[in-house]
Amino acid sequence: MAKKHGKFVPKPIRLNVKKKQKKYPKVRINGINRGFVSNEISTTKYTIFNFVFKNLFEQFRRIHNIYFLSIVIITLIPAISPLTPWTSILPLAFVLIVTALKDGYEDFQRFRADQKVNYKNYRVLNSSGNWKKKKSKNLKVGDIVKVTEDQFFPSDVVAIKSSHEDGKVFIETAQLDGETNLKKYSAPKACVEMIKSDEDILSCKGFVNAEPPSVHLYKFAGFTKINGKDISLDEKNLLLRGAALRNTEYVIGIVLYTGKITKLSLNQKLPPSKFSTVERRLNKSVILIFCFNMCCVTVLTIGSAIFNSGEADDAYYLQIDTNWIFQAVRDFFSYFALLSFMIPMSLMVTLEVVKVMQGRFMEWDKEMATDPNNVANTGMNVKTTNLNDELALVKYVFSDKTGTLTENVMEFQKTSIDGVCYDRAGEGELEEEARAGNVSVHDFLLNLAICHAAQPEVGDDGEISYQAQSPDEVALCDGAKVNGFVFLQRIGETKVVIKILDEEIEFEVLRLIEFTSDRKRMSVIVRMPDSMGGGIRLFCKGADSMMMKLLDDDEENNDPELKQTTLDDIENFSKEGLRTLVFAYKDLDEDEYQEWENDYGDAGKVVDPNKREKLKAKAEKKLEKGFTLQGSTAIEDKLQPEVPETIHNLLRAGVKVWVITGDKRETAINIGFSCKLLSPSMELLQIKATSCEECGESLQSMVDSFVGIEAQKARGDQQLGLVVDGQSLTWALNEHQKNFLKITELCHSVVCCRVTPLQKANVVKLLKEHTGQVCLSIGDGANDVSMIQEAHIGVGIYGREGTQAARSADYAIRQFRHLRRLMTIHGRYSFLRNANLIQYSIYKNAAAFLVQFWFAFYCGYSATTIYDDWIITLFNIAFTSTPPLFYAIFEKDIDPETIDQYPEVYRRVSTGYLFTYSSLFVWLLNAVWHSIVFIFVGVFLQANEPFYFNGKTTGLRVMGNIVATMAIVTVILRIAIETNHWNILVHCGIWGSISCYFLVLFVESFIPAFFPRQYFMFIIVFQNPTFWFTFVIVLVICLVPDIVVKHFHREFYPEDWMILQEAKKFKGADYVEEELGKRIKEMETQGENVDDNEIELEDRA
């Protein structure tokens, strides 16, 4: 705060002020370079020396571990601890060791991956002119390195020479941006002319001056001075670490950025942390249980104070040598330690193990693989197991179209040329026209064959195929080829050879201006051969929304009627779900071209990347106008298998599906109907505004017509669909959010067209924040990454254009149809299992250790433990650990085939009713009831002494073992009541755990040297028929009410899965199937009008 005229005035805050970056040191060529970063890569968190300390530090950052550590500290103080330290040390050590082993294994896997990269050999040119092998980790800045075909670049390298005469280099950047298509880079032209041999490289003297390392993959500026000559460098000269060399025998370059400052390393960041609803609810539940625990401790502390200040003073035999205040404080800490076992210490570890196993089941699922016989390579990948149960709570699915719903395999189908539509263009119809002398068709096909950046490849069978950054370009090249215009060869950067109707003709390429999402077009400038009239021609193709603005306004060059006919054809193509592009050309005179080329070339030499891009864009805009329209193409992108069935299945499951695409409105609507997202019976609402005010009026009109009780009654069961374009969406998201949300919440499905990648993320963010529902995004391309990471759950598809979406997602699948099984089967099972695992784990500890609370009223609040210390120690580790573990791994209420047939069962689970605070409260009430039964039956047995046939009485240890036996057996059998799916491991978990308890008690009974207080207890307790009689009574009192409640629920208020269980069991019972079918049909027709909480198949025969 600054003082001004006696008053304090806040200092102005400077926003977005970037620190000035330090200059990157000059890199000497064939000289000594010091002070640069090592090229060794390390992605591990630990080393051999810091693993123990760092891992313990990380584990004790978790609140529950700190809590249990405090319990250990209390048990180490004999004056206040009612337990031996082992009762808390061993369970905590078990949890810490298991977690440390898991973390260590994961880090070791990262270490092995690092070693594999660091120890790869590359050839480096030494001062003697020999190529010597050098490990990747030993490479240094300034080294001259040689990378051969199919090798990965070990660092960021400036290319100076390649096996191609013109210096071009083809690389694949799948590890960088996920794109598998080839990209063309090159050595600077001056370097290609200067360097012809290894001796030329050794004779080079100079330096490289580059910008500081940055995260921008495709932005780079610098220059090099070699033998006194200045050479400008840009992003096309920098070969990045992680890229692979393709279709190039070798490339030689100067190592520029190494190790952690390479662009790959700078772009490697942890994905955003995501926590599931179950996880957040569990954390709050643990806090509530802790509060309940503290309430119990407080009650007992007050009881201790009252007892010790009154009745205890008269009981000389208690030998209390302290005042009641000190005694109450001591008892507070004692009961704090004693009742701490109500919080299940091993729950977090068990839950983590279970989630990992659930993830493995997803990856092993043959139904989730494109090739069931090769699941390892064609199955799905789970990147985040934390969200397994969240998959069952999804209410919104946001999907890309191209490559996600469609196969991204483009086929050239139709075309419109000079106002004439050719429906069989993909079958070679145009070749006949071209051979017949149709100039318009001839020039159009020439544009198809020239205006692209594809690279031809000749197979073993002599057939030509094409490699390109976009599958659209491959389809267009194939379309030209099938019509007699075959792109044969690209000679360097300057020439292409095209076979035109059986005649090979060479064209000189003067300049290629690539397609970008901002430009929405691509241009190629060629010098026409003399046989075709000579001259310079600019060929261009692009989106109709851009290209129509760039056409010449002169009616002599572009007949308005022709333009309208072409637009009509484009609209018809779009209605058929076809992708469209507009083609045009422009003839240039020599002076015009040379003037532009000088300007464009000068712009490319500017070192500042931002200024360079602006100057280049200005030059491009100056040239790319005044085109003559040729026509348009229509390319088909077929739907993936089972897409309509999958979307229909999700809609039946109560999930709202949004398709967000960059395609035209008509194309998007057609795809919506094709994939059953939209239906003829649906009322289709459309927002296509030309201004913000018009968008607001349109939304307000819809709200007036469809929002409200009366409007819903008038609409009845009719479903609503919405189609909105990108521009209208911008206004809806910013100025008219409220009305937009009201309409979309009513809609069964929504289609957004002409949408940018940023808008995709904004739509997801809006719905996520304002509806409070779980959102899932699915896509296949780099433009879907922001949408995928914005959603609660991100699902990526391994696309034909790359794997960046799959790498950025929480789950990676092969096809869209796999989403159905991922959500409705694996997600549903995971939520069912995890919810019951958590609640059961809390129940079993509460039931067993609330006994200590009730026992306090019988022992004078002395914090005496009723259980043997080793029984307390092994309760969570051995006796009750495996039954919930195997339950949470294998439990199924109904089989996957039934869920797939009746996806409506997903609706009920997606409300989250299986794990709520009320459901947890019911489990805790059950635990309180069972604990009361355990303690008072034990007291009852003690009250009817003598216990033995010989007339001897018993003591605390006998009573403790009786109560422990009843408690442990009861809580283990309690999970058996919940189990629907039994297998050998589930049986072993339940019966093996009971046997384990009896075995431990047996061992304790006959080794008095180690367990003196348990000597002969096994015989004392189990030889008495009174114990067995009351043991059976306890099981009946505790478990029969639970069984009766479940039967009553199933008989009179059945849930959907219960009826489906019976339908599966009684397949021959027509009345069950008939009633079930009737109820399912009823749910289908009601759709979104049915409240989620009311969706139960409550009627049965």
Side-chain angles (χ1 to χ4, degrees):
M1 303 286 281
K3 194 170 183 181
K4 185 177 182 181
H5 302 298
K7 296 181 180 180
F8 286 99
V9 181
K11 291 182 179 180
I13 299 173
R14 299 179 67 190
L15 300 175
N16 299 323
V17 177
K18 295 183 179 179
K19 291 183 179 179
K20 190 175 181 180
Q21 282 188 302
K22 294 181 179 179
K23 288 185 177 180
Y24 193 64
K26 289 182 180 179
V27 178
R28 300 182 183 279
I29 302 172
N30 291 320
I32 298 174
N33 295 283
R34 292 191 177 95
F36 290 96
V37 176
S38 165
N39 198 47
E40 185 172 7
I41 288 294
S42 177
T43 59
T44 58
K45 292 170 61 178
Y46 310 106
T47 66
I48 296 176
F49 306 103
N50 72 9
F51 174 74
V52 174
F53 303 103
K54 191 172 182 179
N55 186 262
L56 285 175
F57 173 75
E58 288 189 351
Q59 292 203 55
F60 281 112
R61 290 169 64 185
R62 299 168 183 165
I63 295 176
H64 59 274
N65 283 342
I66 295 176
Y67 170 72
F68 289 119
L69 179 63
S70 67
I71 303 301
V72 170
I73 295 171
I74 291 174
T75 58
L76 289 172
I77 305 174
I80 62 176
S81 175
L83 303 167
T84 59
W86 295 111
T87 56
S88 53
I89 291 176
L90 281 182
L92 180 59
F94 172 78
V95 171
L96 295 177
I97 290 171
V98 171
T99 305
L101 289 174
K102 179 188 75 70
D103 294 342
Y105 173 77
E106 291 176 350
D107 208 53
F108 180 68
Q109 295 300 108
R110 288 190 286 268
F111 171 76
R112 290 178 63 183
D114 291 342
Q115 293 296 88
K116 189 176 179 181
V117 172
N118 288 328
Y119 281 83
K120 282 185 177 178
N121 288 315
Y122 291 87
R123 295 188 179 275
V124 175
L125 188 67
N126 61 17
S127 57
S128 304
N130 299 318
W131 292 100
K132 295 292 185 180
K133 287 185 179 180
K134 201 172 187 180
K135 289 182 172 59
S136 174
K137 69 173 187 174
N138 296 327
L139 290 176
K140 297 179 180 178
V141 171
D143 281 348
I144 307 297
V145 64
K146 186 176 189 177
V147 179
T148 56
E149 187 170 5
D150 295 331
Q151 271 193 315
F152 288 92
F153 289 93
S155 55
D156 292 351
V157 175
V158 175
I160 58 175
K161 184 181 186 301
S162 83
S163 56
H164 297 287
E165 291 183 2
D166 57 356
K168 68 182 176 184
V169 182
F170 294 98
I171 66 172
E172 179 187 286
T173 58
Q175 286 196 21
L176 294 165
D177 56 15
E179 296 183 6
T180 56
N181 300 301
L182 296 185
K183 290 185 173 66
K184 185 169 64 176
Y185 285 65
S186 66
K189 192 174 181 180
C191 290
V192 175
E193 295 171 351
M194 186 185 305
I195 299 172
K196 301 296 182 183
S197 64
D198 295 347
E199 289 74 19
D200 292 337
I201 298 176
L202 284 175
S203 66
C204 289
K205 299 298 178 184
F207 60 87
V208 177
N209 200 345
E211 66 180 11
S214 71
V215 297
H216 303 295
L217 291 176
Y218 304 117
K219 285 186 178 180
F220 171 73
F223 70 91
T224 178
K225 192 167 188 175
I226 301 177
N227 297 337
K229 185 174 183 179
D230 289 335
I231 304 171
S232 178
L233 300 175
D234 62 21
E235 62 275 5
K236 288 298 183 182
N237 307 130
L238 186 66
L239 309 174
L240 304 181
R241 179 180 192 138
L245 187 64
R246 305 290 190 215
N247 291 3
T248 307
E249 186 180 339
Y250 69 85
V251 63
I252 298 173
I254 304 168
V255 175
L256 183 63
Y257 302 131
T258 53
K260 295 182 178 180
I261 62 171
T262 59
K263 289 182 180 288
L264 174 63
S265 297
L266 293 174
N267 275 277
Q268 287 177 336
K269 59 181 181 179
L270 294 174
S273 298
K274 295 181 180 181
F275 298 95
S276 69
T277 303
V278 168
E279 205 169 356
R280 290 193 296 270
R281 198 163 291 169
L282 169 61
N283 292 334
K284 292 179 181 178
S285 299
V286 170
I287 293 173
L288 290 175
I289 294 169
F290 173 77
C291 294
F292 174 71
N293 190 12
M294 292 305 298
C295 290
C296 293
V297 172
T298 303
V299 168
L300 296 180
T301 302
I302 294 172
S304 171
I306 295 172
F307 178 80
N308 288 305
S309 63
E311 187 176 341
D313 287 340
D314 301 328
Y316 66 91
Y317 52 85
L318 293 178
Q319 299 181 356
I320 297 176
D321 55 358
T322 57
N323 63 48
W324 65 272
I325 297 177
F326 180 84
Q327 190 69 23
V329 172
R330 185 193 74 86
D331 289 342
F332 174 85
F333 287 103
S334 298
Y335 277 116
F336 182 78
L338 202 57
L339 296 181
S340 67
F341 293 95
M342 284 175 56
I343 299 176
M345 187 182 297
S346 61
L347 173 58
M348 299 301 177
V349 174
T350 303
L351 190 59
E352 200 160 328
V353 171
V354 164
K355 287 184 175 182
V356 170
M357 286 305 302
Q358 290 167 353
R360 297 293 83 78
F361 283 150
M362 293 178 189
E363 294 180 337
W364 297 336
D365 189 353
K366 292 185 177 181
E367 298 294 326
M368 299 287 288
T370 51
D371 181 4
N373 297 320
N374 187 15
V375 177
N377 295 320
T378 66
M380 71 166 293
N381 285 325
V382 176
K383 309 294 184 68
T384 306
T385 56
N386 290 342
L387 303 175
N388 294 346
D389 40 52
E390 195 81 344
L391 288 165
L393 305 178
V394 175
K395 289 293 187 182
Y396 287 89
V397 168
F398 299 91
S399 174
D400 177 44
K401 184 189 78 70
T402 304
T404 303
L405 300 180
T406 61
E407 292 183 340
N408 207 12
V409 177
M410 309 300 176
E411 291 184 7
F412 183 76
Q413 292 288 341
K414 301 179 180 182
T415 185
S416 172
I417 304 173
D418 201 21
V420 180
C421 184
Y422 297 92
D423 291 336
R424 295 185 298 107
E427 301 173 11
E429 180 183 12
L430 301 180
E431 183 176 0
E432 302 172 9
E433 293 288 330
R435 289 186 184 276
N438 189 324
V439 178
S440 298
V441 172
H442 182 282
D443 291 350
F444 181 86
L445 288 172
L446 184 61
N447 195 341
L448 252 65
I450 288 181
C451 189
H452 58 78
Q455 187 72 19
E457 291 184 352
V458 181
D460 296 335
D461 56 357
E463 188 68 25
I464 295 177
S465 60
Y466 301 101
Q467 290 284 341
Q469 294 188 30
S470 166
D472 294 81
E473 286 206 331
V474 175
L476 293 172
C477 287
D478 287 335
K481 183 174 74 171
V482 79
N483 285 287
F485 283 61
V486 185
F487 174 53
L488 293 178
Q489 187 180 6
R490 191 179 292 277
I491 305 173
E493 296 286 329
T494 59
K495 293 181 181 179
V496 293
V497 179
I498 299 174
K499 185 178 180 181
I500 300 177
L501 303 177
D502 305 325
E503 180 184 358
E504 292 187 11
I505 301 178
E506 189 176 282
F507 292 82
E508 182 183 357
V509 178
L510 301 176
R511 179 69 68 175
L512 187 149
I513 308 174
E514 294 185 347
F515 178 93
T516 67
S517 57
D518 293 328
R519 285 170 35 80
K520 296 182 181 179
R521 62 188 182 276
M522 174 186 183
S523 296
V524 174
I525 305 173
V526 299
R527 189 180 298 279
M528 303 292 284
D530 293 338
S531 60
M532 300 182 71
I536 300 173
R537 177 168 289 188
L538 169 62
F539 291 102
C540 187
K541 67 180 179 185
D544 61 286
S545 58
M546 177 61 70
M547 293 296 295
M548 289 299 178
K549 300 175 185 177
L550 303 177
L551 297 180
D552 193 346
D553 293 331
D554 189 349
E555 295 186 6
E556 186 177 339
N557 291 329
N558 289 297
D559 182 7
E561 188 176 340
L562 172 61
K563 290 169 64 174
Q564 187 58 48
T565 303
T566 303
L567 286 173
D568 292 341
D569 288 337
I570 290 174
E571 185 175 351
N572 292 331
F573 294 153
S574 299
K575 288 179 179 178
E576 296 177 34
L578 303 177
R579 298 161 63 90
T580 59
L581 284 174
V582 170
F583 287 74
Y585 75 94
K586 174 184 178 182
D587 288 321
L588 307 173
D589 59 49
E590 191 70 35
D591 293 338
E592 180 186 6
Y593 165 71
Q594 287 300 335
E595 181 185 351
W596 178 86
E597 179 62 34
N598 292 334
D599 292 342
Y600 198 73
D602 292 341
K605 294 176 183 178
V606 175
V607 175
D608 185 348
N610 294 324
K611 188 175 180 181
R612 181 175 66 227
E613 292 303 318
K614 287 180 180 178
L615 290 174
K616 289 174 72 174
K618 184 179 179 181
E620 291 163 2
K621 188 176 181 181
K622 179 181 177 182
L623 182 70
E624 294 175 319
K625 61 182 180 180
F627 287 114
T628 299
L629 177 64
Q630 289 182 299
S632 67
T633 56
I635 299 173
E636 181 182 18
D637 187 8
K638 293 182 179 179
L639 286 176
Q640 292 182 16
E642 299 182 31
V643 166
E645 293 82 357
T646 299
I647 290 181
H648 183 59
N649 186 289
L650 293 176
L651 294 175
R652 286 176 59 190
V655 179
K656 295 183 177 181
V657 182
W658 289 45
V659 171
I660 309 178
T661 177
D663 285 336
K664 290 172 62 65
R665 171 185 294 269
E666 294 79 10
T667 304
I669 293 174
N670 181 272
I671 291 294
F673 281 106
S674 299
C675 65
K676 293 188 178 180
L677 181 67
L678 305 175
S679 65
S681 61
M682 181 183 295
E683 183 164 352
L684 193 61
L685 309 179
Q686 298 196 42
I687 305 176
K688 187 179 181 182
T690 56
S691 66
C692 182
E693 292 74 17
E694 185 182 348
C695 178
E697 292 171 2
S698 179
L699 283 168
Q700 187 60 52
S701 174
M702 292 177 186
V703 168
D704 295 339
S705 301
F706 299 104
V707 177
I709 298 175
E710 295 299 324
Q712 290 183 12
K713 285 182 179 178
R715 191 174 80 246
D717 295 335
Q718 187 177 33
Q719 298 171 345
L720 297 178
L722 176 67
V723 178
V724 56
D725 61 34
Q727 184 58 66
S728 300
L729 186 63
T730 301
W731 293 319
L733 292 176
N734 295 317
E735 281 82 12
H736 309 292
Q737 278 190 10
K738 188 175 180 181
N739 283 343
F740 182 67
L741 285 168
K742 286 181 180 179
I743 290 299
T744 54
E745 285 177 2
L746 289 176
C747 290
H748 192 250
S749 48
V750 179
V751 176
C752 302
C753 53
R754 294 294 196 191
V755 176
T756 65
L758 182 60
Q759 283 180 314
K760 291 182 179 183
N762 288 338
V763 169
V764 176
K765 184 178 181 180
L766 176 69
L767 270 293
K768 183 177 75 170
E769 292 179 351
H770 288 270
T771 65
Q773 302 290 354
V774 177
C775 299
L776 180 148
S777 293
I778 179 171
D780 75 309
N783 60 337
D784 300 317
V785 170
S786 58
M787 175 179 74
I788 286 172
Q789 294 187 338
E790 182 63 48
H792 293 101
I793 305 171
V795 178
I797 292 180
Y798 288 103
R800 292 180 179 271
E801 290 188 21
T803 60
Q804 189 169 358
R807 289 160 52 203
S808 305
D810 304 305
Y811 300 90
I813 59 178
R814 300 289 171 174
Q815 293 179 337
F816 183 80
R817 63 188 176 92
H818 296 145
L819 180 65
R820 171 174 61 182
R821 190 171 179 87
L822 179 66
M823 286 174 52
T824 60
I825 295 176
H826 288 291
R828 187 180 178 278
Y829 281 159
S830 296
F831 185 80
L832 167 71
R833 294 162 177 170
N834 296 350
N836 284 341
L837 165 67
I838 292 168
Q839 293 176 121
Y840 170 77
S841 297
I842 293 172
Y843 150 80
K844 69 181 178 64
N845 278 50
F849 292 101
L850 267 175
V851 169
Q852 298 281 179
F853 176 78
W854 306 119
F855 182 65
F857 296 97
Y858 286 91
C859 66
Y861 308 98
S862 60
T864 302
T865 174
I866 191 173
Y867 297 131
D868 174 65
D869 287 352
W870 281 101
I871 290 177
I872 294 175
T873 302
L874 298 175
F875 180 82
N876 282 310
I877 298 176
F879 302 151
T880 62
S881 59
T882 53
L885 175 66
F886 288 139
Y887 170 89
I889 292 175
F890 298 110
E891 174 63 1
K892 296 177 183 178
D893 53 353
I894 47 179
D895 57 60
E897 293 76 16
T898 303
I899 298 174
D900 202 45
Q901 187 178 0
Y902 301 108
E904 288 79 7
V905 295
Y906 181 87
R907 287 175 179 259
R908 177 71 166 150
V909 174
S910 67
T911 63
Y913 83 102
L914 288 172
F915 183 29
T916 61
Y917 297 119
S918 57
S919 68
L920 180 60
F921 181 71
V922 171
W923 276 94
L924 285 174
L925 280 181
N926 203 342
V928 172
W929 163 244
H930 288 182
S931 66
I932 291 173
V933 173
F934 300 152
I935 183 64
F936 285 106
V937 168
V939 171
F940 169 77
L941 282 178
Q942 294 295 302
N944 289 275
E945 295 184 315
F947 184 77
Y948 305 115
F949 291 115
N950 59 11
K952 292 183 179 180
T953 60
T954 63
L956 175 63
R957 294 304 155 199
V958 174
M959 177 181 174
N961 281 282
I962 291 172
V963 173
T965 303
M966 292 187 295
I968 290 173
V969 174
T970 301
V971 298
I972 292 175
L973 292 179
R974 180 65 182 81
I975 200 170
I977 298 175
E978 298 295 321
T979 303
N980 289 289
H981 183 74
W982 291 83
N983 59 30
I984 185 65
L985 289 177
V986 174
H987 277 289
C988 289
I990 291 176
W991 311 119
S993 295
I994 294 174
S995 302
C996 178
Y997 166 72
F998 285 113
L999 178 63
V1000 169
L1001 188 57
F1002 178 81
V1003 171
E1004 281 187 308
S1005 298
F1006 295 102
I1007 310 179
F1010 291 100
F1011 313 104
R1013 292 188 295 183
Q1014 288 291 93
Y1015 180 65
F1016 223 58
M1017 280 296 163
F1018 185 86
I1019 303 300
I1020 293 173
V1021 172
F1022 297 136
Q1023 74 172 356
N1024 195 295
T1026 306
F1027 161 76
W1028 289 108
F1029 175 75
T1030 52
F1031 176 67
V1032 173
I1033 293 297
V1034 166
L1035 294 181
V1036 171
I1037 294 174
C1038 290
L1039 300 180
V1040 168
D1042 295 328
I1043 296 172
V1044 170
V1045 168
K1046 282 188 169 295
H1047 177 74
F1048 184 82
H1049 185 193
R1050 178 182 286 268
E1051 190 66 30
F1052 298 102
Y1053 301 97
E1055 294 185 28
D1056 43 15
W1057 64 269
M1058 297 176 183
I1059 296 177
L1060 289 168
Q1061 267 189 347
E1062 292 193 17
K1064 185 76 175 177
K1065 185 175 181 180
F1066 303 107
K1067 286 184 178 180
D1070 294 337
Y1071 63 90
V1072 176
E1073 294 185 356
E1074 194 175 310
E1075 197 67 33
L1076 180 63
K1078 189 188 302 181
R1079 181 60 174 152
I1080 293 295
K1081 187 176 180 182
E1082 192 177 301
M1083 291 175 66
E1084 281 184 16
T1085 55
Q1086 288 176 335
E1088 286 301 313
N1089 295 321
V1090 181
D1091 182 62
D1092 284 330
N1093 294 320
E1094 296 176 355
I1095 297 184
E1096 299 180 37
L1097 301 175
E1098 53 191 19
D1099 301 322
R1100 70 175 190 144

